[in-house]
Amino acid sequence: MEPRAQLNPTTSQRHCWECMRRRLVCDFERPTCNKCRSAGVDCPGYDEKKPLRWLAPGKVTSRAQKRRSPSATDGTVRSDEAVDKKDAPQTRVGSELLRMPIPRRELKSDTCTMVEAVWYFNDYVYTDFRAMHELAPNPYLGQFPLDALHQMPMSICHTLVCLALGHRIHRVYSGDHRRVVARLRPSLYQHRGLALRSLTELLGNLSSQTSIDLTIGSIMLFLFVDARQLPSADWQHHFAAAIELIKLRGGLASLARSSEYLKPLILHLLILGVMANTTTPPPRHIPTTSQLELIDVMTDLYGDGIYPVLLCPPYLLMDVIKINNLRFQTTCSPISDTTRATAHEILEHIEAFSPEDWTGTHPDARDDWLLLGRMYRSSIALYCISSLQSLSIIPSSRYYTAMRTLHGTRLYNLLPKVTRRPRIKHFAIWPLVVAGMQAVDASPNIRHIIDGQLSELSKIMGCPTPTLAGAVFHRFWTSGQTGWDDCFDKAYVFVA
């Protein structure tokens, strides 16, 4: 992708009048923009006032302004109503971006531009996670800078639109009309297709280290949005493509050390791979994220465990990697006494974790930290026992049955408290998935509560992933099977 021309600070936000009319992101070329040149039209330029356009005789048309419906008294501008231009505030971006409904909650397909997607992300997606800063300052959590949009490759721009549309489709607000919101879905798939096409173009031009890094970042962002919004295993193919490109740059550890820009995306990639392997059969694991060598990289990148998609104590996350490694080893070597001894050591290490020692630095957030620590200790202990019992690494003895029951009861009691707290409710999805698997031995009331919590989490996160988990459990609870790999019989990712 060719670098864009350097812009004068005083005009960097002014699109040409033709691009504004066509609702395109102008490339700001002077004296005429490339978008107009490609379309074969005369670029009207970037002046303060729109230039006059002379029409041939008989071509002048006029259209009377539609009246507002008397019923529109709630302050909402309907899609079939004209907006009075003299009342619209003036901006340097383009008046078409102002034709948004009030209250500003509906991202309509006919006005879903890339600029609106950034606005929506900053005002709604980011807002859902902003309270995390009250737990501890999060260097990975922030708004998307609008002034950087024109520098992004088109694949990232279309991916941001997909993220905004997907969030709007699944995020439920009071007064929503679901059928109206669902009409946005075709636009989501259209932008997804455009993002894939742009990624293909990037892959065809890996001529420099910069272009490789740009392509890696674009693929990873697309992967994260795809895994968040689509109930399919396509994300594994995107993951494999990103890993192959990372190998061209010297591997995970080398790239993480040399690229500050890609470091948060690499961390997100590894978290997604590690947590996805927990709910994926061992033969279908992503090998990169089931190897013990990954622990050193994750220890360096994950730091104190402050990350927007996972707020798990680092002490316990390393145990998850070790459990994944044991499960993956069964695909290529028989289970031995050493394997079983390692499993017991991991479980003892999990049991030794003290949530009281992981409480952050903000005194008023201590209760939230304690809830998170206790929730992850019980859910990871359950994952260790259940997943390794499914492979006969840990026996199904009375002792381990009692331990599962104990941690299951604790988790059932903790989850309602976590999902009621704004600062930490988004981190309940994977522990809820563990609780859902454990509920195969629980009462119908417990199952009903877990199902309701998953449904509610899907609505507030703007993401279908919890709903997918609920569908998996409905099938599993009535199947007569009880094993971890019976429940998660194909590749699932429950991190959003």
Side-chain angles (χ1 to χ4, degrees):
M1 182 175 180
E2 296 181 358
R4 298 180 183 272
Q6 295 296 319
L7 305 178
N8 187 305
T10 63
T11 60
S12 61
Q13 294 297 318
R14 183 172 300 286
H15 297 240
C16 83
W17 287 96
E18 178 65 14
C19 283
M20 280 195 271
R21 185 187 71 80
R22 296 167 64 202
R23 299 180 182 176
L24 299 176
V25 178
C26 187
D27 58 17
F28 309 104
E29 287 289 338
R30 303 294 175 132
T32 61
C33 80
N34 290 324
K35 294 285 179 72
C36 292
R37 189 179 301 114
S38 299
V41 299
D42 292 330
C43 180
Y46 306 86
D47 294 334
E48 287 283 347
K49 293 184 179 181
K50 184 175 182 179
L52 294 175
R53 181 183 178 191
W54 296 96
L55 299 177
K59 297 296 184 180
V60 179
T61 60
S62 63
R63 179 172 59 193
Q65 184 178 6
K66 295 182 181 179
R67 292 184 178 181
R68 293 190 61 175
S69 170
S71 61
T73 59
D74 58 354
T76 303
V77 180
R78 307 299 179 191
S79 61
D80 58 348
E81 295 169 350
V83 178
D84 191 346
K85 294 182 179 179
K86 68 181 181 181
D87 294 331
Q90 299 300 309
T91 73
R92 294 180 295 172
V93 178
S95 60
E96 72 277 3
L97 300 178
L98 302 173
R99 301 177 186 272
M100 293 184 288
I102 304 170
R104 295 163 60 176
R105 281 181 178 162
E106 189 169 352
L107 199 63
K108 289 184 175 293
S109 57
D110 59 348
T111 58
C112 178
T113 64
M114 295 164 188
V115 173
E116 286 178 357
V118 173
W119 162 81
Y120 185 89
F121 175 87
N122 290 340
D123 275 23
Y124 291 99
V125 182
Y126 167 73
T127 300
D128 284 343
F129 291 88
R130 186 171 55 197
M132 276 187 66
H133 287 302
E134 299 172 18
L135 294 173
N138 194 316
Y140 298 113
L141 184 63
Q143 294 182 313
F144 190 97
L146 182 60
D147 57 0
L149 185 63
H150 71 281
Q151 299 174 345
M152 296 291 104
M154 293 306 295
S155 58
I156 289 181
C157 295
H158 287 298
T159 300
L160 284 170
V161 176
C162 288
L163 174 62
L165 283 169
H167 188 276
R168 184 63 194 95
I169 289 169
H170 296 285
R171 178 72 157 93
V172 177
Y173 298 98
S174 59
D176 264 353
H177 299 284
R178 300 302 295 153
R179 282 183 294 181
V180 175
V181 175
R183 292 173 189 167
L184 301 173
R185 196 175 296 276
S187 184
L188 186 155
Y189 284 103
Q190 178 188 13
H191 283 281
R192 182 178 183 271
L194 292 170
L196 281 170
R197 181 188 300 174
S198 300
L199 284 173
T200 302
E201 293 172 358
L202 286 176
L203 286 167
N205 185 31
L206 301 178
S207 57
S208 66
Q209 178 175 303
T210 301
S211 63
I212 293 175
D213 287 357
L214 190 63
T215 305
I216 291 172
S218 300
I219 290 175
M220 286 196 286
L221 184 60
F222 184 84
L223 157 66
F224 306 148
V225 174
D226 228 32
R228 186 182 197 275
Q229 295 180 167
L230 294 180
S232 73
D234 287 347
W235 60 270
Q236 286 191 309
H237 303 302
H238 310 322
F239 200 109
I243 291 296
E244 287 303 311
L245 289 176
I246 289 172
K247 289 179 181 177
L248 293 178
R249 288 281 280 107
L252 285 165
S254 174
L255 184 56
R257 285 193 300 267
S258 62
S259 175
E260 288 296 321
Y261 159 70
L262 288 177
K263 185 178 290 186
L265 295 179
I266 292 172
L267 176 55
H268 196 137
L269 182 79
L270 296 180
I271 289 174
L272 186 143
V274 168
M275 302 313 290
N277 281 354
T278 65
T279 50
T280 297
R284 298 189 62 181
H285 273 202
I286 300 167
T288 306
T289 51
S290 279
Q291 303 292 345
L292 293 180
E293 291 81 0
L294 182 66
I295 291 178
D296 291 336
V297 180
M298 287 295 287
T299 300
D300 184 41
L301 289 177
Y302 194 58
D304 294 330
I306 308 296
Y307 199 70
V309 297
L310 189 72
L311 203 58
C312 174
Y315 177 106
L316 294 174
L317 183 60
M318 303 310 144
D319 287 327
V320 173
I321 297 174
K322 293 174 184 177
I323 298 166
N324 288 350
N325 177 256
L326 281 185
R327 297 178 66 217
F328 184 66
Q329 283 180 356
T330 62
T331 63
C332 56
S333 59
I335 298 170
S336 64
D337 291 340
T338 302
T339 307
R340 294 188 174 92
T342 302
H344 293 307
E345 290 173 5
I346 295 172
L347 187 55
E348 288 176 359
H349 191 258
I350 296 169
E351 290 289 314
F353 172 72
S354 173
E356 288 74 14
D357 295 336
W358 189 67
T359 54
T361 58
H362 289 235
D364 63 337
R366 178 177 171 81
D367 289 344
D368 286 342
W369 285 105
L370 284 172
L371 283 173
L372 283 170
R374 291 166 180 165
M375 177 182 71
Y376 277 110
R377 180 178 62 182
S378 287
S379 57
I380 292 173
L382 284 170
Y383 167 57
C384 180
I385 298 170
S386 300
S387 66
L388 298 183
Q389 280 183 334
S390 185
L391 297 169
S392 299
I393 296 175
I394 287 181
S396 300
S397 65
R398 186 178 302 175
Y399 171 78
Y400 290 108
T401 299
M403 188 176 291
R404 279 183 58 177
T405 302
L406 175 64
H407 282 293
T409 303
R410 288 176 178 172
L411 193 55
Y412 301 148
N413 292 330
L414 287 166
L415 283 168
K417 300 175 184 177
V418 172
T419 54
R420 287 196 296 266
R421 292 183 176 257
R423 292 185 289 209
I424 60 176
K425 62 185 178 183
H426 291 87
F427 305 108
I429 179 169
W430 188 81
L432 263 172
V433 166
V434 176
M437 189 277 159
Q438 175 68 13
V440 70
D441 298 323
S443 66
N445 184 53
I446 293 293
R447 295 180 185 180
H448 178 73
I449 292 172
I450 291 172
D451 190 44
Q453 289 172 331
L454 286 168
S455 178
E456 185 62 25
L457 199 58
S458 184
K459 294 176 183 178
I460 65 175
M461 291 179 67
C463 170
T465 304
T467 303
L468 171 62
V472 170
F473 295 136
H474 289 170
R475 171 189 58 79
F476 177 60
W477 290 337
T478 58
S479 68
Q481 299 173 314
T482 59
W484 184 274
D485 291 328
D486 296 323
C487 180
F488 308 111
D489 57 344
K490 56 184 179 180
Y492 294 108
V493 53
F494 295 114
V495 176

